[in-house]
Amino acid sequence: MRPPSRGEPKATRAPTIIVDEDAQVGIPEPARAAARAESAARRKASAPKSGAKPAGGGGARKSRKKPKKARRGSLIGRTVYWLAVLGLWGVIASGGLAVWVALHLPPIHSLEIPKRPPTVRVVGFDGTLIAARGDMGGSAIALKEMPPYLPQAFIAIEDRRFYSHFGVDALGLVRAVYANVLHRGIAQGGSSITQQLAKNLFLRPERTLMRKLEEVMLALWLEHKLSKREILALYLNRVYFGSGAYGVDGAAQRYFGKSAREVTVSEAALLAGLVKSPSRLAPTRNYDAAERRARLVLGAMAEEGMITDAEAKAAIADPPRIVKPGGGSGNYVADWVMDVLDDVIGQVDDDLVVETSIDPALQILAERAVIDTLTQKGDKYGVKQAALVAMTPDGAVRALVGGKNYQESQFNRAVSAKRQPGSAFKPFVYLTAIERGLTPDTIREDRPVSIRGWKPENYRHKYSGPVTLTQALAHSLNTVSVRLTMEFGPTAVAKTAYRLGIASKLAPNASIALGTSEVSVLELVDAYTPFANGGTATVPHVVERVTAANGRVLYTKAPSLLGRVIEPAYVAMMNRMMAETIRSGTAKGAALPGWQAAGKTGTSQDFRDAWFVGYTAHLVTGVWFGNDDNSPTKRLTGGVLPVEAWHRFMESALQGVQPQELPGLSGPPIAAPAQVPAPMPQPREGPEDVPAAAMDRPVAALGDRSPPRSGGAVQGAPVRPASGAGLDGWFLDRVLGR
């Protein structure tokens, strides 16, 4: 410090401050001695009396225990406090997690139970299931319609506490976690039935923590929205069972060939066991594994008292029998029905039952006839495919086989394929001639003919000279058919075919006499039905009625009143001629003892297609053999495999049926109509008699000779009416290509 300046007063000395040991305030130094004395006096007063324990003894320890107890109470309090804090944060975190999971759930508008995809059941005329179509593959069945042990089997193996938990089985989850940790992998799922339903309805098939959390939340939502029975019914009708089968009914149909309403205890156990791993345990793929799993289900059912031990043992002793994987020819029928169903009733939103005209017994016979014939002689003749259509004389399809094996090829050769019918087309040529004044006994020359360089020949290159029309048709003489076609005109022949039921476009040229225009098996068989029913036009149909799941009728086939297209006298003449084909002609192998039968064989050029269409008064059946790539066969003709397959089918199909006579083959001859068409023109013998332009001119260039959509009149011949509306019209307009 600087010294004071002259004249400044000398600064006084600041007092010294001391701190007393017991006091918290400062005191001046002069009072220091007094303060010390007072402090000493206090210590002396507090000192122990004589005989007491020295300082730090029992008295001192006793005075220190009180702060320790306070610290213990403080520790408990702090523990409770922090537990409360942690609990609060846990609640906040759980709420946040729930919100986060909720934000990742499907959109709120989709959190409604998705409508079950519709199933279409196609049944035969006797109610037998032919095939089912739809994503689920079976109908939805209420719990009350199931045998009680069916849902019990699922509860026993999948969720024993189903009726006691709230959607999530906590004990099951703990058990699953323990098992998974013990096995160091996914050993158990732990999901309740409600959780599995939530996954199937709303979520992706992923194994992630996020999806599991979503599954839990949705399970809780389902338990709040639905009853236990509703949840169980939804689950059973939607769960996947492998091999493309969804729902218990679809699985029962797929594996046992029956409805879920009819399953046995052992079958119910097998179905319940598949849910764990449907693809791996599918009995069509791994029957032994599926059967072992079914035994576990039966054991679980016995433990829960759902069945007795004796019932479990009986079920084990009588394991389920798995039907052959679905691939039968009935699927061709089902595909055909599905193609037209939308046009008949509109969009399919509910389960439907389509009642058809198919006879399941005849369907099996038809499939067997086709497969057996191909298996035994297909390689010999170089042919790999075949098709068959059988219908009643009024057009109801009783059996339809679209190929050898549906699983290998779903292409329907009976409906969709169009091939050259060859000589099977000739009845329309001969009917055209009969309607213009000729008779079965009319003579025509069987000798070579040439038309603009085209020289059709007979099969064996032999000629018989003068023959009757009956002989010419029975032995399929090409030259006579060509002469008749050119005698009355190719367009007249085409119009006759249209009138009787051919729907495909026909080229009106000379080669139409030999069946060079392509047609389907279905339409060719339909065109033969007037010969079997006495001359009435028909429309091929397979759907009789469509009903909804609640029994409401959505469609009923209307009667097909198409009227007469052939006069009875002409029907009798044609039946007489085609019956001779079976008696002494190219189809002798088709004879049916006790039955009047008629028909016509056909072979296309280069032996690419072989046909036989034959009929009785009870059934009209057509058979085709050939190759999908249109390659030639090994000289296969219609009189060989087609006749053989036709005979196999018809012989079995007519067993037990009272024989009936074909129209016009019994009794006195039926007189021809009084109005006879114009006189027969002179035969055209060679190219000089056939206008060259007429052979190559397109159909439209022949004036009014274009093929009519619903038939056309030919010199006063009956006109085929337009096809009926609804399903029948669709068959002709869409399926047959009209």
Side-chain angles (χ1 to χ4, degrees):
M1 298 178 57
R2 68 177 178 82
S5 303
R6 185 177 296 177
E8 290 183 5
K10 184 181 257 185
T12 60
R13 184 177 178 184
T16 302
I17 303 299
I18 64 173
V19 179
D20 186 78
E21 292 180 359
D22 297 318
Q24 297 300 319
V25 296
I27 57 175
E29 186 177 1
R32 182 175 182 181
R36 288 178 178 174
E38 184 179 355
S39 176
R42 285 200 301 272
R43 285 196 296 270
K44 184 177 179 181
S46 62
K49 297 179 180 181
S50 59
K53 292 182 181 180
R61 290 194 196 99
K62 189 175 182 180
S63 64
R64 291 175 183 174
K65 283 183 181 180
K66 292 181 180 179
K68 191 170 183 180
K69 286 183 180 180
R71 285 196 298 273
R72 287 180 180 176
S74 176
L75 179 62
I76 295 174
R78 284 196 299 272
T79 301
V80 172
Y81 169 78
W82 285 113
L83 287 175
V85 170
L86 290 175
L88 178 61
W89 279 109
V91 171
I92 294 174
S94 299
L97 179 62
V99 172
W100 183 66
V101 172
L103 291 175
H104 289 78
L105 287 174
I108 193 68
H109 61 77
S110 69
L111 287 183
E112 290 293 336
I113 304 302
K115 191 173 181 179
R116 187 180 185 275
T119 296
V120 178
R121 292 168 53 85
V122 180
V123 301
F125 79 115
D126 61 351
T128 302
L129 180 70
I130 296 174
R133 290 293 182 269
D135 292 338
M136 304 304 290
S139 59
I141 301 180
L143 284 181
K144 62 182 180 181
E145 299 179 38
M146 303 178 190
Y149 47 76
L150 179 57
Q152 289 172 352
F154 288 84
I155 292 175
I157 196 64
E158 290 293 321
D159 191 356
R160 296 190 184 188
R161 283 176 288 277
F162 172 71
Y163 284 106
S164 60
H165 62 63
F166 52 88
V168 178
D169 185 4
L171 293 177
L173 285 175
V174 171
R175 183 188 68 249
V177 170
Y178 174 78
N180 294 339
V181 171
L182 187 65
H183 292 84
R184 297 182 180 181
I186 304 298
Q188 294 184 13
S191 294
S192 67
I193 284 179
T194 312
Q195 288 176 259
Q196 294 180 48
L197 177 61
K199 176 183 65 176
N200 292 336
L201 292 179
F202 305 110
L203 301 176
R204 305 167 303 279
E206 300 174 352
R207 285 195 171 189
T208 62
L209 177 60
M210 181 62 189
R211 201 223 64 189
K212 199 68 176 179
L213 295 173
E214 293 175 340
E215 179 184 296
V216 169
M217 290 195 67
L218 290 172
L220 299 177
W221 177 79
L222 285 173
E223 289 277 345
H224 172 72
K225 186 176 180 65
L226 304 174
S227 68
K228 288 287 188 180
R229 288 184 62 84
E230 289 174 326
I231 290 173
L232 185 58
L234 274 173
Y235 172 79
L236 293 176
N237 282 299
R238 300 200 180 206
V239 68
Y240 183 57
F241 290 91
S243 296
Y246 289 85
V248 287
D249 192 57
Q253 297 286 358
R254 174 67 182 82
Y255 296 126
F256 313 131
K258 64 174 71 173
S259 169
R261 301 175 181 88
E262 305 169 354
V263 297
T264 63
V265 173
S266 62
E267 291 168 345
L270 187 141
L271 292 179
L274 299 180
V275 175
K276 178 182 179 181
S277 181
S279 297
R280 180 177 62 85
L281 295 174
T284 52
R285 174 180 298 180
N286 192 348
Y287 179 82
D288 291 340
E291 202 273 332
R292 287 195 299 270
R293 176 73 175 167
R295 293 188 180 188
L296 293 178
V297 176
L298 292 170
M301 294 175 70
E303 289 178 8
E304 293 296 312
M306 298 173 178
I307 58 175
T308 64
D309 291 338
E311 289 174 327
K313 292 179 180 178
I316 292 175
D318 185 23
R321 294 169 178 81
I322 307 302
V323 299
K324 182 180 178 181
S329 60
N331 286 285
Y332 291 113
V333 175
D335 289 348
W336 184 27
V337 170
M338 292 302 296
D339 284 342
V340 301
L341 203 54
D342 185 62
D343 294 278
V344 172
I345 63 171
Q347 184 176 351
V348 178
D349 294 322
D350 300 308
D351 289 352
L352 300 178
V353 176
V354 181
E355 300 173 24
T356 70
S357 59
I358 296 295
D359 183 338
L362 295 187
Q363 183 69 30
I364 294 174
L365 293 175
E367 179 180 354
R368 188 178 301 162
V370 167
I371 294 177
D372 289 350
T373 304
L374 279 173
T375 301
Q376 294 172 11
K377 299 183 179 180
D379 291 340
K380 175 182 177 181
Y381 287 96
V383 61
K384 297 181 180 179
Q385 283 296 347
L388 182 150
V389 173
M391 66 175 68
T392 60
D394 64 356
V397 177
R398 289 288 186 247
L400 184 145
V401 179
K404 179 181 179 180
N405 189 314
Y406 181 83
Q407 284 188 310
E408 294 178 358
S409 173
Q410 291 77 51
F411 180 63
N412 194 333
R413 297 156 188 85
V415 174
S416 302
K418 292 189 177 184
R419 308 298 287 263
Q420 292 183 349
S423 295
F425 191 84
K426 288 179 180 177
F428 310 123
V429 175
Y430 283 77
L431 177 60
T432 302
I434 292 293
E435 289 179 335
R436 282 154 181 78
L438 276 60
T439 70
D441 296 324
T442 299
I443 301 297
R444 285 295 180 265
E445 288 287 334
D446 175 28
R447 58 187 176 86
V449 61
S450 176
I451 301 175
R452 294 192 62 224
W454 177 52
K455 298 179 180 180
E457 298 177 332
N458 294 331
Y459 171 59
R460 299 189 183 280
H461 309 289
K462 295 181 180 180
Y463 304 93
S464 304
V467 294
T468 64
L469 297 191
T470 300
Q471 293 172 326
L473 183 60
H475 296 279
S476 199
L477 302 179
N478 290 338
T479 61
V480 176
S481 181
V482 172
R483 289 180 186 280
L484 292 174
T485 298
M486 301 314 299
E487 185 174 326
F488 300 104
T491 301
V493 174
K495 287 185 176 182
T496 298
Y498 288 134
R499 176 163 37 100
L500 268 63
I502 295 298
S504 299
K505 183 178 179 180
L506 303 174
N509 54 39
S511 67
I512 195 174
L514 305 184
T516 55
S517 293
E518 296 178 339
V519 298
S520 72
V521 180
L522 181 66
E523 63 181 313
L524 187 59
V525 173
D526 176 54
Y528 272 65
T529 56
F531 301 125
N533 64 29
T536 302
T538 64
V539 174
H541 64 274
V542 68
V543 174
E544 299 287 351
R545 190 168 68 158
V546 180
T547 57
N550 58 7
R552 183 166 59 95
V553 178
L554 304 178
Y555 168 85
T556 300
K557 177 191 171 296
S560 300
L561 302 176
L562 299 186
R564 178 171 297 280
V565 291
I566 311 176
E567 291 296 334
Y570 302 145
V571 173
M573 294 179 190
M574 291 300 302
N575 284 341
R576 172 185 164 190
M577 297 166 69
M578 284 193 279
E580 191 63 31
T581 303
I582 293 180
R583 280 195 296 265
S584 63
T586 58
K588 286 185 291 186
L592 297 169
W595 280 86
Q596 292 181 350
K600 185 68 187 77
T601 57
T603 307
S604 68
Q605 54 188 341
D606 299 326
F607 303 96
R608 299 178 188 274
D609 306 280
W611 299 72
F612 179 63
V613 182
Y615 55 93
T616 65
H618 178 71
L619 211 56
V620 184
T621 301
V623 185
W624 165 86
F625 280 79
N627 294 316
D628 286 339
D629 58 2
N630 204 30
S631 60
T633 63
K634 297 177 181 178
R635 302 185 67 82
L636 175 64
T637 65
V640 186
L641 299 191
V643 164
E644 183 176 330
W646 185 92
H647 184 268
R648 283 186 178 186
F649 169 72
M650 292 291 284
E651 188 177 41
S652 300
L654 296 177
Q655 284 186 357
V657 180
Q658 182 65 33
Q660 303 169 13
E661 297 177 348
L662 282 173
L665 290 192
S666 298
I670 302 175
Q675 288 185 342
V676 179
M680 179 186 70
Q682 293 297 319
R684 297 169 179 172
E685 299 294 343
E688 65 278 7
D689 297 320
V690 182
M695 297 303 302
D696 300 324
R697 218 179 315 168
V699 174
L702 298 177
D704 60 354
R705 295 182 176 180
S706 57
R709 290 180 60 82
S710 58
V714 182
Q715 297 185 11
V719 178
R720 177 184 174 90
S723 61
L727 182 60
D728 295 337
W730 196 99
F731 281 152
L732 288 182
D733 295 337
R734 292 284 188 83
V735 178
L736 302 181
R738 172 168 287 181

